[in-house]
Amino acid sequence: MSQSYYTSDAGRDAGAAAWNAAQNAPPEVKSAAADYATQQAKAEVKKTCGLDMTYVKSRNGALKGSQLGWSFLAFFLMCIQMGISIGKVFFALFIFPTMLCVIVLFFAFATHLYEKKPQVPWFQADVGISAGATVVYPIMAIIIITTGRPLLIASGIFAIVAAGLGFAPGTYYSYKRYRESKYPATEPLE
């Protein structure tokens, strides 16, 4: 049995009739209806400290927080360990800019900056950063772990956790959001 959002056939028929009437309406009526729907959607966005809390609490917002948290732990533990090595320098040169990009993307999506600045490819940048970190974090972590120093081993483990629990699923969901933004649905799903 298929799941229906309507309680009866009459409700489904009324919804279909309203959909057909909206499709056959004159352009000025369609435009007014679209403007009203946009205003209602923006009015329902709950903002705290200028951030859209629906994004912050969403799957994508939680993944951005996860990416940032695990990356910060890895970076912090690596910075505590004294000594310079090539692997440590490359790891620092990759992880710090990645954290900065994640912060920028988080605030761009949470403040709806991507709607105000559509010329910036926000969704493509999100996919690229997440995919790059998914590949590079484990490679750099293995190099760091092979040093044998306890704090660097912990840093490498947190980097692997960041790649596995933050950036890998973030890549998937970022790609889905990118596809939805590039090819928006034109008809309601049944």
Side-chain angles (χ1 to χ4, degrees), residues 66-67 69-75 77-78 91 95 133 136-167:
S66 169
Q67 293 167 2
W70 292 117
S71 296
F72 179 75
L73 276 172
F75 184 74
L77 289 173
M78 186 198 55
F91 189 56
I95 199 170
V136 176
Y137 267 44
I139 293 169
M140 291 295 171
I142 290 169
I143 293 170
I144 293 294
I145 288 172
T146 58
T147 62
R149 295 183 176 164
L151 286 176
L152 292 181
I153 292 171
S155 176
I157 289 171
F158 283 125
I160 291 172
V161 169
L165 296 180
F167 288 106

CSV table of all heavy atoms in Angstrom, one decimal, residues 66-67 69-75 77-78 91 95 133 136-167:
chain,number,residue,atom,x,y,z
A,66,SER,N,30.7,18.4,12.8
A,66,SER,CA,31.6,17.3,13.0
A,66,SER,C,32.9,17.4,12.2
A,66,SER,O,34.0,17.1,12.8
A,66,SER,CB,30.9,16.0,12.4
A,66,SER,OG,31.7,14.9,12.4
A,67,GLN,N,32.9,17.9,11.0
A,67,GLN,CA,34.1,18.1,10.3
A,67,GLN,C,35.0,19.1,11.0
A,67,GLN,O,36.2,18.9,11.2
A,67,GLN,CB,33.8,18.7,8.9
A,67,GLN,CG,33.1,17.7,8.0
A,67,GLN,CD,32.6,18.4,6.7
A,67,GLN,OE1,32.7,19.6,6.5
A,67,GLN,NE2,31.9,17.6,5.9
A,69,GLY,N,34.9,20.0,14.3
A,69,GLY,CA,35.3,19.5,15.6
A,69,GLY,C,36.5,18.5,15.5
A,69,GLY,O,37.5,18.7,16.2
A,70,TRP,N,36.3,17.5,14.7
A,70,TRP,CA,37.4,16.5,14.6
A,70,TRP,C,38.6,17.1,14.0
A,70,TRP,O,39.7,16.7,14.4
A,70,TRP,CB,36.9,15.3,13.8
A,70,TRP,CG,35.8,14.5,14.4
A,70,TRP,CD1,34.5,14.3,13.9
A,70,TRP,CD2,35.9,13.7,15.6
A,70,TRP,NE1,33.8,13.5,14.8
A,70,TRP,CE2,34.6,13.2,15.8
A,70,TRP,CE3,36.9,13.5,16.6
A,70,TRP,CZ2,34.3,12.4,16.9
A,70,TRP,CZ3,36.6,12.7,17.7
A,70,TRP,CH2,35.3,12.2,17.8
A,71,SER,N,38.5,18.0,13.0
A,71,SER,CA,39.7,18.6,12.4
A,71,SER,C,40.4,19.4,13.4
A,71,SER,O,41.7,19.5,13.5
A,71,SER,CB,39.3,19.4,11.2
A,71,SER,OG,38.8,18.6,10.2
A,72,PHE,N,39.7,20.2,14.3
A,72,PHE,CA,40.3,21.0,15.3
A,72,PHE,C,41.0,20.1,16.3
A,72,PHE,O,42.2,20.5,16.7
A,72,PHE,CB,39.3,21.9,16.0
A,72,PHE,CG,39.9,22.7,17.1
A,72,PHE,CD1,40.6,23.8,16.8
A,72,PHE,CD2,39.7,22.4,18.4
A,72,PHE,CE1,41.2,24.6,17.7
A,72,PHE,CE2,40.3,23.1,19.4
A,72,PHE,CZ,41.0,24.3,19.1
A,73,LEU,N,40.5,19.0,16.7
A,73,LEU,CA,41.2,18.1,17.6
A,73,LEU,C,42.5,17.6,17.0
A,73,LEU,O,43.5,17.6,17.7
A,73,LEU,CB,40.3,16.9,18.0
A,73,LEU,CG,39.3,17.2,19.2
A,73,LEU,CD1,38.4,16.0,19.3
A,73,LEU,CD2,40.0,17.4,20.4
A,74,ALA,N,42.4,17.2,15.8
A,74,ALA,CA,43.6,16.7,15.1
A,74,ALA,C,44.7,17.8,15.0
A,74,ALA,O,45.9,17.6,15.3
A,74,ALA,CB,43.3,16.1,13.7
A,75,PHE,N,44.2,19.0,14.6
A,75,PHE,CA,45.2,20.1,14.5
A,75,PHE,C,45.8,20.5,15.8
A,75,PHE,O,47.0,20.7,15.9
A,75,PHE,CB,44.5,21.3,13.8
A,75,PHE,CG,45.4,22.4,13.5
A,75,PHE,CD1,46.3,22.4,12.5
A,75,PHE,CD2,45.3,23.6,14.3
A,75,PHE,CE1,47.1,23.4,12.2
A,75,PHE,CE2,46.1,24.7,14.0
A,75,PHE,CZ,47.0,24.6,12.9
A,77,LEU,N,46.1,18.7,18.7
A,77,LEU,CA,47.1,17.7,19.2
A,77,LEU,C,48.4,17.7,18.4
A,77,LEU,O,49.4,17.5,18.9
A,77,LEU,CB,46.4,16.3,19.1
A,77,LEU,CG,45.3,16.1,20.1
A,77,LEU,CD1,44.7,14.7,19.9
A,77,LEU,CD2,45.9,16.2,21.5
A,78,MET,N,48.3,18.0,17.1
A,78,MET,CA,49.5,18.0,16.3
A,78,MET,C,50.3,19.2,16.7
A,78,MET,O,51.6,19.2,16.7
A,78,MET,CB,49.2,18.1,14.8
A,78,MET,CG,50.4,18.0,13.9
A,78,MET,SD,50.0,18.6,12.3
A,78,MET,CE,49.4,20.2,12.5
A,91,PHE,N,50.7,18.2,6.7
A,91,PHE,CA,49.4,18.0,7.4
A,91,PHE,C,48.9,19.3,7.9
A,91,PHE,O,47.7,19.6,7.7
A,91,PHE,CB,49.6,17.0,8.6
A,91,PHE,CG,48.3,16.5,9.2
A,91,PHE,CD1,47.3,16.0,8.4
A,91,PHE,CD2,48.1,16.7,10.6
A,91,PHE,CE1,46.2,15.5,9.0
A,91,PHE,CE2,47.0,16.2,11.1
A,91,PHE,CZ,46.0,15.6,10.4
A,95,ILE,N,45.3,20.9,6.8
A,95,ILE,CA,44.2,20.8,7.7
A,95,ILE,C,43.8,22.2,8.1
A,95,ILE,O,42.6,22.4,8.3
A,95,ILE,CB,44.6,19.9,8.9
A,95,ILE,CG1,43.3,19.5,9.7
A,95,ILE,CG2,45.5,20.7,9.9
A,95,ILE,CD1,43.6,18.5,10.7
A,133,ALA,N,39.2,16.5,1.4
A,133,ALA,CA,39.6,16.1,2.7
A,133,ALA,C,39.4,14.6,3.0
A,133,ALA,O,40.1,14.0,3.7
A,133,ALA,CB,38.8,16.9,3.7
A,136,VAL,N,42.6,13.2,1.3
A,136,VAL,CA,43.9,13.6,1.9
A,136,VAL,C,44.1,13.4,3.4
A,136,VAL,O,45.2,13.0,3.8
A,136,VAL,CB,44.2,15.1,1.5
A,136,VAL,CG1,45.5,15.6,2.1
A,136,VAL,CG2,44.2,15.2,0.0
A,137,TYR,N,43.1,13.5,4.1
A,137,TYR,CA,43.2,13.4,5.6
A,137,TYR,C,43.7,12.0,6.0
A,137,TYR,O,44.7,11.9,6.8
A,137,TYR,CB,41.8,13.6,6.3
A,137,TYR,CG,41.6,15.0,6.8
A,137,TYR,CD1,41.9,16.1,6.0
A,137,TYR,CD2,41.0,15.2,8.0
A,137,TYR,CE1,41.6,17.4,6.4
A,137,TYR,CE2,40.7,16.5,8.4
A,137,TYR,CZ,41.0,17.6,7.7
A,137,TYR,OH,40.8,18.8,8.1
A,138,PRO,N,43.2,10.9,5.4
A,138,PRO,CA,43.7,9.6,5.8
A,138,PRO,C,45.2,9.4,5.4
A,138,PRO,O,46.0,8.8,6.1
A,138,PRO,CB,42.8,8.6,5.1
A,138,PRO,CG,41.6,9.3,4.9
A,138,PRO,CD,41.9,10.7,4.7
A,139,ILE,N,45.5,9.9,4.2
A,139,ILE,CA,46.9,9.8,3.7
A,139,ILE,C,47.9,10.5,4.7
A,139,ILE,O,48.9,10.0,5.1
A,139,ILE,CB,47.0,10.3,2.3
A,139,ILE,CG1,46.3,9.4,1.3
A,139,ILE,CG2,48.5,10.4,1.9
A,139,ILE,CD1,46.1,10.0,-0.1
A,140,MET,N,47.5,11.8,5.0
A,140,MET,CA,48.4,12.5,5.9
A,140,MET,C,48.4,11.9,7.3
A,140,MET,O,49.4,11.9,8.0
A,140,MET,CB,47.9,14.0,6.0
A,140,MET,CG,48.2,14.7,4.7
A,140,MET,SD,49.9,14.8,4.4
A,140,MET,CE,50.0,15.5,2.8
A,141,ALA,N,47.2,11.4,7.7
A,141,ALA,CA,47.2,10.7,9.0
A,141,ALA,C,48.1,9.5,9.1
A,141,ALA,O,48.8,9.3,10.2
A,141,ALA,CB,45.7,10.4,9.3
A,142,ILE,N,48.2,8.7,8.1
A,142,ILE,CA,49.0,7.6,8.1
A,142,ILE,C,50.5,8.0,8.2
A,142,ILE,O,51.3,7.4,8.9
A,142,ILE,CB,48.8,6.7,6.9
A,142,ILE,CG1,47.4,6.0,7.0
A,142,ILE,CG2,49.9,5.7,6.7
A,142,ILE,CD1,46.9,5.3,5.8
A,143,ILE,N,50.8,9.1,7.5
A,143,ILE,CA,52.2,9.6,7.6
A,143,ILE,C,52.5,10.1,9.0
A,143,ILE,O,53.6,9.9,9.5
A,143,ILE,CB,52.4,10.8,6.5
A,143,ILE,CG1,52.3,10.2,5.1
A,143,ILE,CG2,53.7,11.5,6.8
A,143,ILE,CD1,52.3,11.2,4.0
A,144,ILE,N,51.5,10.8,9.6
A,144,ILE,CA,51.7,11.3,11.0
A,144,ILE,C,51.8,10.1,12.0
A,144,ILE,O,52.6,10.2,12.9
A,144,ILE,CB,50.6,12.3,11.3
A,144,ILE,CG1,50.6,13.5,10.5
A,144,ILE,CG2,50.5,12.6,12.8
A,144,ILE,CD1,51.8,14.4,10.7
A,145,ILE,N,51.0,9.1,11.8
A,145,ILE,CA,50.9,8.0,12.7
A,145,ILE,C,52.3,7.2,12.7
A,145,ILE,O,52.7,6.7,13.7
A,145,ILE,CB,49.7,7.1,12.4
A,145,ILE,CG1,48.4,7.8,12.8
A,145,ILE,CG2,49.9,5.7,13.1
A,145,ILE,CD1,47.2,7.0,12.4
A,146,THR,N,52.9,7.2,11.6
A,146,THR,CA,54.2,6.4,11.5
A,146,THR,C,55.3,7.0,12.2
A,146,THR,O,56.4,6.4,12.4
A,146,THR,CB,54.6,6.2,10.0
A,146,THR,OG1,54.7,7.5,9.4
A,146,THR,CG2,53.6,5.4,9.2
A,147,THR,N,55.2,8.3,12.7
A,147,THR,CA,56.2,8.9,13.5
A,147,THR,C,56.4,8.2,14.8
A,147,THR,O,57.5,8.2,15.4
A,147,THR,CB,56.0,10.4,13.7
A,147,THR,OG1,54.8,10.5,14.5
A,147,THR,CG2,55.9,11.1,12.4
A,148,GLY,N,55.3,7.6,15.4
A,148,GLY,CA,55.4,6.9,16.6
A,148,GLY,C,55.2,7.7,17.9
A,148,GLY,O,55.3,7.2,19.0
A,149,ARG,N,55.1,9.0,17.7
A,149,ARG,CA,54.9,9.9,18.9
A,149,ARG,C,53.4,9.9,19.3
A,149,ARG,O,52.5,10.0,18.5
A,149,ARG,CB,55.3,11.3,18.6
A,149,ARG,CG,56.8,11.4,18.3
A,149,ARG,CD,57.2,12.8,18.0
A,149,ARG,NE,58.6,12.9,17.8
A,149,ARG,CZ,59.2,14.0,17.3
A,149,ARG,NH1,58.5,15.0,16.9
A,149,ARG,NH2,60.5,14.0,17.2
A,150,PRO,N,53.2,9.7,20.6
A,150,PRO,CA,51.8,9.5,21.1
A,150,PRO,C,50.8,10.6,20.7
A,150,PRO,O,49.7,10.3,20.2
A,150,PRO,CB,51.9,9.5,22.6
A,150,PRO,CG,53.3,9.1,22.9
A,150,PRO,CD,54.1,9.6,21.7
A,151,LEU,N,51.2,11.9,20.8
A,151,LEU,CA,50.2,13.0,20.4
A,151,LEU,C,50.0,13.0,18.9
A,151,LEU,O,48.9,13.3,18.4
A,151,LEU,CB,50.8,14.3,20.9
A,151,LEU,CG,50.6,14.6,22.4
A,151,LEU,CD1,51.3,15.9,22.7
A,151,LEU,CD2,49.2,14.5,22.8
A,152,LEU,N,51.0,12.7,18.1
A,152,LEU,CA,50.8,12.6,16.7
A,152,LEU,C,50.0,11.4,16.3
A,152,LEU,O,49.2,11.5,15.3
A,152,LEU,CB,52.2,12.6,16.0
A,152,LEU,CG,53.0,13.9,16.1
A,152,LEU,CD1,54.3,13.8,15.3
A,152,LEU,CD2,52.2,15.1,15.6
A,153,ILE,N,50.1,10.3,17.0
A,153,ILE,CA,49.3,9.2,16.7
A,153,ILE,C,47.8,9.5,17.0
A,153,ILE,O,46.9,9.2,16.2
A,153,ILE,CB,49.7,7.9,17.6
A,153,ILE,CG1,51.1,7.4,17.1
A,153,ILE,CG2,48.7,6.8,17.5
A,153,ILE,CD1,51.7,6.4,18.0
A,154,ALA,N,47.6,10.2,18.1
A,154,ALA,CA,46.2,10.6,18.5
A,154,ALA,C,45.7,11.6,17.4
A,154,ALA,O,44.5,11.6,17.0
A,154,ALA,CB,46.2,11.3,19.8
A,155,SER,N,46.6,12.5,17.0
A,155,SER,CA,46.2,13.5,15.9
A,155,SER,C,45.8,12.8,14.6
A,155,SER,O,44.8,13.1,14.0
A,155,SER,CB,47.3,14.5,15.7
A,155,SER,OG,47.0,15.3,14.6
A,156,GLY,N,46.6,11.8,14.3
A,156,GLY,CA,46.3,11.0,13.1
A,156,GLY,C,45.0,10.2,13.2
A,156,GLY,O,44.2,10.2,12.2
A,157,ILE,N,44.7,9.7,14.3
A,157,ILE,CA,43.5,9.0,14.6
A,157,ILE,C,42.3,9.9,14.4
A,157,ILE,O,41.3,9.6,13.8
A,157,ILE,CB,43.5,8.2,15.9
A,157,ILE,CG1,44.5,7.0,15.8
A,157,ILE,CG2,42.1,7.7,16.3
A,157,ILE,CD1,44.8,6.4,17.1
A,158,PHE,N,42.4,11.1,15.0
A,158,PHE,CA,41.3,12.1,14.9
A,158,PHE,C,41.1,12.5,13.5
A,158,PHE,O,40.0,12.8,13.1
A,158,PHE,CB,41.5,13.2,15.9
A,158,PHE,CG,41.2,12.9,17.3
A,158,PHE,CD1,42.1,13.1,18.3
A,158,PHE,CD2,39.9,12.5,17.7
A,158,PHE,CE1,41.8,12.9,19.6
A,158,PHE,CE2,39.6,12.2,19.0
A,158,PHE,CZ,40.6,12.4,19.9
A,159,ALA,N,42.2,12.6,12.7
A,159,ALA,CA,42.1,13.0,11.3
A,159,ALA,C,41.3,11.9,10.5
A,159,ALA,O,40.5,12.2,9.7
A,159,ALA,CB,43.5,13.2,10.7
A,160,ILE,N,41.6,10.6,10.8
A,160,ILE,CA,40.9,9.5,10.2
A,160,ILE,C,39.4,9.5,10.6
A,160,ILE,O,38.6,9.3,9.7
A,160,ILE,CB,41.6,8.2,10.5
A,160,ILE,CG1,42.9,8.1,9.8
A,160,ILE,CG2,40.7,7.0,10.1
A,160,ILE,CD1,43.8,6.9,10.2
A,161,VAL,N,39.2,9.8,11.8
A,161,VAL,CA,37.8,9.9,12.3
A,161,VAL,C,37.1,11.1,11.6
A,161,VAL,O,35.9,11.0,11.1
A,161,VAL,CB,37.7,10.1,13.8
A,161,VAL,CG1,36.3,10.4,14.3
A,161,VAL,CG2,38.1,8.8,14.5
A,162,ALA,N,37.8,12.2,11.4
A,162,ALA,CA,37.2,13.4,10.7
A,162,ALA,C,36.9,13.0,9.3
A,162,ALA,O,35.8,13.4,8.8
A,162,ALA,CB,38.1,14.6,10.8
A,163,ALA,N,37.8,12.3,8.6
A,163,ALA,CA,37.5,11.9,7.3
A,163,ALA,C,36.4,10.9,7.2
A,163,ALA,O,35.5,11.0,6.3
A,163,ALA,CB,38.8,11.3,6.7
A,164,GLY,N,36.3,9.9,8.1
A,164,GLY,CA,35.3,8.9,8.0
A,164,GLY,C,33.9,9.3,8.5
A,164,GLY,O,32.9,9.0,7.9
A,165,LEU,N,33.9,10.1,9.6
A,165,LEU,CA,32.6,10.5,10.1
A,165,LEU,C,32.1,11.9,9.7
A,165,LEU,O,30.9,12.2,9.9
A,165,LEU,CB,32.6,10.4,11.7
A,165,LEU,CG,32.9,9.1,12.3
A,165,LEU,CD1,32.9,9.2,13.8
A,165,LEU,CD2,31.8,8.1,11.8
A,166,GLY,N,33.0,12.7,9.2
A,166,GLY,CA,32.6,14.1,8.8
A,166,GLY,C,32.6,14.3,7.3
A,166,GLY,O,31.6,14.7,6.7
A,167,PHE,N,33.8,14.1,6.7
A,167,PHE,CA,34.0,14.5,5.3
A,167,PHE,C,33.4,13.5,4.3
A,167,PHE,O,32.9,13.9,3.3
A,167,PHE,CB,35.5,14.8,5.1
A,167,PHE,CG,36.0,16.0,5.7
A,167,PHE,CD1,36.8,16.0,6.8
A,167,PHE,CD2,35.6,17.2,5.2
A,167,PHE,CE1,37.3,17.1,7.4
A,167,PHE,CE2,36.1,18.4,5.8
A,167,PHE,CZ,36.9,18.4,6.9
